[in-house]
Amino acid sequence: MTDEEKIIFMAKVLKQHHHSFEYMVDETLKEYVELISIVFKSSNTVNLAILQNTMNLIVRNTMKSKSEEIIEFDDDAFPGDGIWAIPGKYRVRVRSLYDYCKLKNCLPEDLTPEEMERFLEKVELEEIIPIAKGQEIDYYTLRGFPEKFEIAKGELLWSEEEKKQVILGVLKNTGLRFFVSILPKDSLSELKKLLPEYDVDSSC
């Protein structure tokens, strides 16, 4: 295997495993990095397969430990209904999910989308209404915010609904007066041109 092929090989492995790195303790992460260095030293394809399996095992054990931490936290800190609300449009029925995975002897990430849907409950997002003065925001406002800030080719990788929730949520907290005060003159001119296009009374 050439160096270029090893780089492509490791790129695929890291793409599969990157989600687990933040949960690895220092010793585990060090072990994982050492395996990467061995990959580039090895010329045996069989060894590479063994190394990949070892890395897969490290990731699986890491995520299993993290899942157990979440369940333990849920048992201690959440109400008896076992529902865990997270930012977004859904809530996860954690205890039911845990029981199901325990029965199947698998991790949540191993479930199919159809299986996962059994444990999701739709959350109705509140209507966010910014006014001139800034208002306090709470958890319910944040439910519609995306969990990650990602961009590709100059576009935010958010849905239209997520963009709406973020913009309105920020405006609610800062207030419209502050928003208008920080707009450049050219933007204010554009805003004045746009406002007549919207008949507020007819939309109410």
Side-chain angles (χ1 to χ4, degrees):
M1 181 177 280
T2 65
D3 288 343
E4 184 178 356
E5 288 173 331
K6 290 177 184 177
I7 291 173
I8 294 173
F9 168 79
M10 276 310 311
K12 290 180 179 179
V13 173
L14 293 173
K15 186 175 182 180
Q16 294 172 350
H17 293 169
H18 76 278
H19 66 281
S20 67
F21 296 155
E22 62 180 303
Y23 303 124
M24 291 184 186
V25 297
D26 290 344
E27 285 301 316
T28 303
L29 191 58
K30 181 180 178 182
E31 181 182 352
Y32 187 94
V33 172
E34 287 176 352
L35 289 171
I36 294 177
S37 67
I38 295 173
V39 167
F40 287 102
K41 294 176 183 177
S42 177
S43 58
N44 190 315
T45 305
V46 175
N47 287 345
L48 292 178
I50 295 173
L51 289 167
Q52 183 178 5
N53 287 336
T54 305
M55 296 165 89
N56 289 342
L57 181 61
I58 289 175
V59 169
R60 186 172 182 83
N61 288 340
T62 297
M63 298 311 296
K64 182 179 179 181
S65 298
K66 187 61 182 177
S67 297
E68 290 172 351
E69 287 178 14
I70 291 174
I71 298 304
E72 181 179 355
F73 182 63
D74 174 68
D75 286 340
D76 292 338
F78 286 86
D81 58 8
I83 297 176
W84 184 19
I86 58 176
K89 296 183 180 181
Y90 298 93
R91 296 190 302 177
V92 182
R93 292 190 286 113
V94 180
R95 287 199 180 93
S96 297
L97 174 61
Y98 171 71
D99 291 339
Y100 183 78
C101 289
K102 188 175 181 181
L103 182 64
K104 291 197 64 176
N105 191 29
C106 68
L107 296 174
E109 65 189 46
D110 298 323
L111 300 182
T112 65
E114 291 75 20
E115 287 178 305
M116 196 65 193
E117 282 181 5
R118 304 180 190 180
F119 309 102
L120 300 179
E121 293 185 0
K122 186 73 177 290
V123 175
E124 293 300 327
L125 299 175
E126 70 165 326
E127 182 182 8
I128 302 176
I129 305 177
I131 58 177
K133 184 180 178 181
Q135 308 168 70
E136 292 184 357
I137 59 173
D138 52 25
Y139 168 76
Y140 295 99
T141 304
L142 297 178
R143 284 186 299 177
F145 280 37
E147 295 182 43
K148 296 180 179 179
F149 192 98
E150 297 179 292
I151 189 170
K153 296 182 179 179
E155 290 291 331
L156 283 168
L157 299 180
W158 295 343
S159 68
E160 292 300 315
E161 183 63 30
E162 287 173 329
K163 291 177 181 178
K164 171 186 171 183
Q165 292 293 315
V166 170
I167 292 170
L168 290 178
V170 172
L171 286 177
K172 177 179 180 179
N173 191 231
T174 60
L176 295 175
R177 181 176 287 107
F178 174 78
F179 168 65
V180 172
S181 71
I182 63 173
L183 282 178
K185 290 183 178 179
D186 289 346
S187 298
L188 279 172
S189 298
E190 289 292 319
L191 184 59
K192 290 176 181 178
K193 293 176 185 177
L194 288 172
L195 288 175
E197 296 180 16
Y198 296 89
D199 187 346
V200 179
D201 293 334
S202 64
S203 64
C204 295

mmCIF file of all heavy atoms in Angstrom, residues 19-20 40 53 59 82 99 104 108 132-133 146 188 199:
data_model
loop_
_atom_site.group_PDB
_atom_site.id
_atom_site.type_symbol
_atom_site.label_atom_id
_atom_site.label_comp_id
_atom_site.label_asym_id
_atom_site.label_seq_id
_atom_site.Cartn_x
_atom_site.Cartn_y
_atom_site.Cartn_z
ATOM 1 N N HIS A 19 -16.685 11.675 15.427
ATOM 2 C CA HIS A 19 -17.701 12.056 16.410
ATOM 3 C C HIS A 19 -17.362 11.599 17.822
ATOM 4 O O HIS A 19 -17.911 12.119 18.799
ATOM 5 C CB HIS A 19 -19.056 11.465 16.004
ATOM 6 C CG HIS A 19 -19.081 9.962 16.056
ATOM 7 N ND1 HIS A 19 -18.526 9.172 15.060
ATOM 8 C CD2 HIS A 19 -19.578 9.108 16.986
ATOM 9 C CE1 HIS A 19 -18.697 7.904 15.380
ATOM 10 N NE2 HIS A 19 -19.316 7.841 16.538
ATOM 11 N N SER A 20 -16.461 10.629 17.953
ATOM 12 C CA SER A 20 -16.160 10.060 19.271
ATOM 13 C C SER A 20 -14.961 10.704 19.960
ATOM 14 O O SER A 20 -14.747 10.496 21.150
ATOM 15 C CB SER A 20 -15.888 8.557 19.130
ATOM 16 O OG SER A 20 -14.696 8.325 18.399
ATOM 17 N N PHE A 40 0.761 4.154 9.288
ATOM 18 C CA PHE A 40 1.663 4.729 8.293
ATOM 19 C C PHE A 40 3.025 4.017 8.261
ATOM 20 O O PHE A 40 3.764 4.136 7.290
ATOM 21 C CB PHE A 40 1.848 6.221 8.545
ATOM 22 C CG PHE A 40 0.641 7.033 8.179
ATOM 23 C CD1 PHE A 40 -0.228 7.492 9.152
ATOM 24 C CD2 PHE A 40 0.353 7.308 6.850
ATOM 25 C CE1 PHE A 40 -1.357 8.228 8.812
ATOM 26 C CE2 PHE A 40 -0.764 8.046 6.500
ATOM 27 C CZ PHE A 40 -1.634 8.503 7.476
ATOM 28 N N ASN A 53 -9.797 -2.550 12.956
ATOM 29 C CA ASN A 53 -10.711 -3.216 13.887
ATOM 30 C C ASN A 53 -10.453 -2.765 15.324
ATOM 31 O O ASN A 53 -11.392 -2.590 16.113
ATOM 32 C CB ASN A 53 -10.557 -4.742 13.786
ATOM 33 C CG ASN A 53 -11.151 -5.297 12.514
ATOM 34 O OD1 ASN A 53 -12.034 -4.681 11.913
ATOM 35 N ND2 ASN A 53 -10.681 -6.450 12.080
ATOM 36 N N VAL A 59 -13.511 3.124 19.543
ATOM 37 C CA VAL A 59 -14.628 4.039 19.338
ATOM 38 C C VAL A 59 -15.913 3.457 19.918
ATOM 39 O O VAL A 59 -16.678 4.159 20.597
ATOM 40 C CB VAL A 59 -14.813 4.335 17.833
ATOM 41 C CG1 VAL A 59 -16.124 5.072 17.584
ATOM 42 C CG2 VAL A 59 -13.645 5.160 17.323
ATOM 43 N N GLY A 82 -39.044 9.921 31.924
ATOM 44 C CA GLY A 82 -37.893 9.491 31.137
ATOM 45 C C GLY A 82 -37.760 10.187 29.809
ATOM 46 O O GLY A 82 -37.191 9.651 28.872
ATOM 47 N N ASP A 99 -33.873 0.928 27.271
ATOM 48 C CA ASP A 99 -34.413 -0.423 27.462
ATOM 49 C C ASP A 99 -34.411 -1.204 26.156
ATOM 50 O O ASP A 99 -34.106 -2.398 26.126
ATOM 51 C CB ASP A 99 -35.836 -0.349 28.024
ATOM 52 C CG ASP A 99 -35.864 0.164 29.452
ATOM 53 O OD1 ASP A 99 -34.812 0.074 30.119
ATOM 54 O OD2 ASP A 99 -36.914 0.665 29.888
ATOM 55 N N LYS A 104 -31.825 -5.381 22.682
ATOM 56 C CA LYS A 104 -31.198 -5.768 21.404
ATOM 57 C C LYS A 104 -29.677 -5.889 21.506
ATOM 58 O O LYS A 104 -29.028 -6.292 20.538
ATOM 59 C CB LYS A 104 -31.537 -4.744 20.314
ATOM 60 C CG LYS A 104 -32.990 -4.738 19.886
ATOM 61 C CD LYS A 104 -33.171 -4.025 18.566
ATOM 62 C CE LYS A 104 -32.459 -4.726 17.436
ATOM 63 N NZ LYS A 104 -32.708 -4.098 16.119
ATOM 64 N N PRO A 108 -27.514 3.123 20.587
ATOM 65 C CA PRO A 108 -28.487 3.930 19.838
ATOM 66 C C PRO A 108 -28.051 4.214 18.410
ATOM 67 O O PRO A 108 -28.871 4.242 17.495
ATOM 68 C CB PRO A 108 -28.581 5.218 20.663
ATOM 69 C CG PRO A 108 -28.287 4.781 22.050
ATOM 70 C CD PRO A 108 -27.245 3.709 21.921
ATOM 71 N N ALA A 132 -39.466 46.126 20.247
ATOM 72 C CA ALA A 132 -38.415 47.156 20.247
ATOM 73 C C ALA A 132 -37.386 46.913 21.350
ATOM 74 O O ALA A 132 -36.183 47.010 21.132
ATOM 75 C CB ALA A 132 -39.044 48.530 20.400
ATOM 76 N N LYS A 133 -37.876 46.558 22.528
ATOM 77 C CA LYS A 133 -36.989 46.335 23.665
ATOM 78 C C LYS A 133 -36.597 44.865 23.745
ATOM 79 O O LYS A 133 -37.393 43.975 23.456
ATOM 80 C CB LYS A 133 -37.706 46.749 24.949
ATOM 81 C CG LYS A 133 -36.851 46.668 26.200
ATOM 82 C CD LYS A 133 -37.658 47.113 27.422
ATOM 83 C CE LYS A 133 -36.835 46.992 28.693
ATOM 84 N NZ LYS A 133 -37.612 47.403 29.897
ATOM 85 N N PRO A 146 -30.339 25.250 15.887
ATOM 86 C CA PRO A 146 -29.536 24.094 15.468
ATOM 87 C C PRO A 146 -28.434 23.816 16.476
ATOM 88 O O PRO A 146 -27.991 24.719 17.188
ATOM 89 C CB PRO A 146 -28.963 24.529 14.114
ATOM 90 C CG PRO A 146 -28.993 26.018 14.154
ATOM 91 C CD PRO A 146 -30.186 26.390 14.971
ATOM 92 N N LEU A 188 -30.001 50.036 6.103
ATOM 93 C CA LEU A 188 -31.215 50.726 6.534
ATOM 94 C C LEU A 188 -32.040 51.177 5.324
ATOM 95 O O LEU A 188 -33.264 51.069 5.314
ATOM 96 C CB LEU A 188 -30.863 51.936 7.402
ATOM 97 C CG LEU A 188 -30.551 51.658 8.872
ATOM 98 C CD1 LEU A 188 -30.023 52.922 9.548
ATOM 99 C CD2 LEU A 188 -31.791 51.140 9.593
ATOM 100 N N ASP A 199 -47.669 44.131 4.006
ATOM 101 C CA ASP A 199 -48.849 44.727 4.622
ATOM 102 C C ASP A 199 -49.080 44.044 5.962
ATOM 103 O O ASP A 199 -49.642 42.958 6.024
ATOM 104 C CB ASP A 199 -50.059 44.546 3.710
ATOM 105 C CG ASP A 199 -51.277 45.295 4.227
ATOM 106 O OD1 ASP A 199 -51.258 45.713 5.400
ATOM 107 O OD2 ASP A 199 -52.238 45.446 3.459
#
